[in-house]
Amino acid sequence: MKISKLIGYQVLDSRGRPTVAASISLSDGTSHTARVPSGASTGKHEAKELRDLGGQYVEKFYAGLSVKQAVENINQVIAPRLVEELVDLVAIDNHLIELDPSPDHAKLGANATLAVSLATSIAAAHSQNRSLARYFQPESYLKIPMPMVNILSGGAHANKVMDIQDLLIVPIGATSFTQALSWIVAIRETASELGKQAGFVSNLIADEGGLAIPFDSVSKACEFVISAIEKCGLIAGEQVSLALDVASTQFFEDGKYNLKNAKQSYSSDQFVTYINNLVSNYPIVSIEDPFAEDDWLTWQKFMQVAPKKLQVLGDDLLTTNLARLNRAIEEKSANSILIKANQNGLVSSTLNVLKQARANNFNTVVSARSGENEDSWLADLATGWAAGQIKVGSTHGSERNSKWNRLLELEVIENTKFINPFN
Ligand code: 2PG
Ligand code: MG
């Protein structure tokens, strides 16, 4: 089937900021749309998201965040090249690379290339009469990923009320996704109640739907979430474990890890000890970005002393970038990678990063961004790619729940197995 039309346009994300949408029409008269997400704690090495600030397209009322240039790139540069082409993901991604050979997609904008690449994959799945998950995994059962879900937020997602960005839970004892989600919702709501009882204004919902409660130490935050788990009659560490996204690049200044709420400052070596103490004192199964995006040596040192089973997860460190992943494999800097399509800019090369990670025994966690939208393609990608884990934020906000709901749907309508990478 051929692409008959491609249109880019500006829409809003969950933070009320502009983002790029692309709609592809096919020769059978159907059309297929994708909208791209956007981060707040964005890594320096991510593909380039084009925003209009300082450019000729800037729109007065969007504080410089409009994406008209990226939209124009779709309509004026990409569309003329792709119309009449066969809707084939790898071929279309190759056209996009030819149009913009820069490794970070700086010319067209990664928000433009990803919108087109995603819309292509959705249209291509349709042309084969398959769902997006089944487009990537046509045979056998689908693997439903283990969710990693935000309960408490700080850092760039919640006005820095906590030093670390996210305290999440992983329902390692659940035997189905449906059961996992029911535990998570109970814990999320119980945490909200406990927060109110403790006098916090816990209706302060952070960017990803988690609770923005001002804990001045990570230990207090861990204990709080453990108490919510236990209040639900679940066993912390056996049925539900903790995960942290430290997002430490955000507070790494002049070679020091500065925890402002805790009023502590650590050298890299001291921070290795600090992190190691946290993971030995609490039932933490996964730790994301414990060290800054270019503090490679410290990641390596931590890997040498960290518990073997701990998931050491690179987000800002690896930015879904093959070269950075290869370095981490070589230097043993981490053992797991966060996979975010908009850090990379193309669907097919995002998948290549995931495959390279898996081939080297890295755990793979497909992840949403803090600025999201109603699309649910992420759930299909995580499932079709057999990622093992998925991170979407909390269970509040339809931009989060559209992904959870799609996984619930897949578990009901498809032949599936629920994956537990922590067994
Ligand atoms: C992260 C993501 C999602 P952001 O750091 O992992 O939580 O945040 O999209 O702001 O980079
Ligand atoms: Mg992160």
Side-chain angles (χ1 to χ4, degrees), residues 245 288 315 391:
D245 182 358
E288 180 179 332
D315 174 15
K391 185 175 94 155

Side-chain angles (χ1 to χ4, degrees), residues 3-8 22-25 74-75 78-80 82-83 116 119:
I3 296 175
S4 59
K5 200 168 162 191
L6 163 61
I7 301 186
S23 288
I24 285 183
S25 303
I74 294 178
N75 294 330
I78 301 176
L82 298 192
V83 169
V116 173

Side-chain angles (χ1 to χ4, degrees), residues 39-41 157 165 208 245 288 315 338 340 369-370 391:
S41 63
H157 295 168
Q165 182 177 283
E208 297 195 297
D245 182 358
E288 180 179 332
D315 174 15
L338 211 71
K340 290 170 166 170
R369 300 306 306 248
S370 49
K391 185 175 94 155

Side-chain angles (χ1 to χ4, degrees), residues 32 50 53 61 67 88 112 143 171 205 219 235 257 269 289 293 329 372 380 406 412:
H32 307 274
L50 222 53
L53 188 64
F61 292 109
V67 290
D88 174 277
K143 293 181 179 167
I205 307 279
S219 300
I235 305 168
Y257 291 91
D269 284 351
D289 285 349
E293 59 196 354
I329 293 167
E372 266 297 332
D380 281 67
R406 174 64 178 149
V412 170

Side-chain angles (χ1 to χ4, degrees), residues 243-313:
L244 305 183
D245 182 358
V246 183
S248 63
T249 303
Q250 298 282 320
F251 54 79
F252 186 63
E253 297 148 333
D254 302 326
K256 292 269 183 194
Y257 291 91
N258 292 325
L259 299 184
K260 299 212 167 98
N261 291 304
K263 300 191 175 62
Q264 300 286 345
S265 181
Y266 300 89
S267 68
S268 289
D269 284 351
Q270 288 167 335
F271 210 54
V272 167
T273 309
Y274 170 88
I275 295 287
N276 220 0
N277 284 341
L278 276 179
V279 299
S280 10
N281 291 342
Y282 298 101
I284 293 171
V285 287
S286 175
I287 188 140
E288 180 179 332
D289 285 349
F291 311 106
E293 59 196 354
D294 289 315
D295 196 6
W296 286 92
L297 187 61
T298 307
W299 281 82
Q300 218 179 5
K301 285 185 185 165
F302 179 65
M303 279 289 285
Q304 286 159 12
V305 295
K308 286 282 157 292
K309 283 178 101 177
L310 181 70
Q311 177 165 276
V312 182
L313 184 54

Side-chain angles (χ1 to χ4, degrees), residues 342-408:
N342 82 321
Q343 285 182 330
N344 181 290
L346 292 172
V347 174
S348 57
S349 49
T350 300
L351 176 56
N352 287 340
V353 173
L354 182 138
K355 284 182 175 165
Q356 169 74 344
R358 186 158 44 216
N360 287 279
N361 298 317
F362 269 46
N363 284 355
T364 54
V365 185
V366 164
S367 174
R369 300 306 306 248
S370 49
E372 266 297 332
N373 60 66
E374 64 273 31
D375 283 2
S376 60
W377 46 260
L378 192 83
D380 281 67
L381 294 188
T383 309
W385 292 352
Q389 292 167 72
I390 186 169
K391 185 175 94 155
V392 173
S394 186
T395 46
H396 276 229
S398 289
E399 80 282 4
R400 313 283 149 198
N401 288 346
S402 60
K403 284 78 164 167
W404 302 135
N405 288 347
R406 174 64 178 149
L407 291 170
L408 289 171

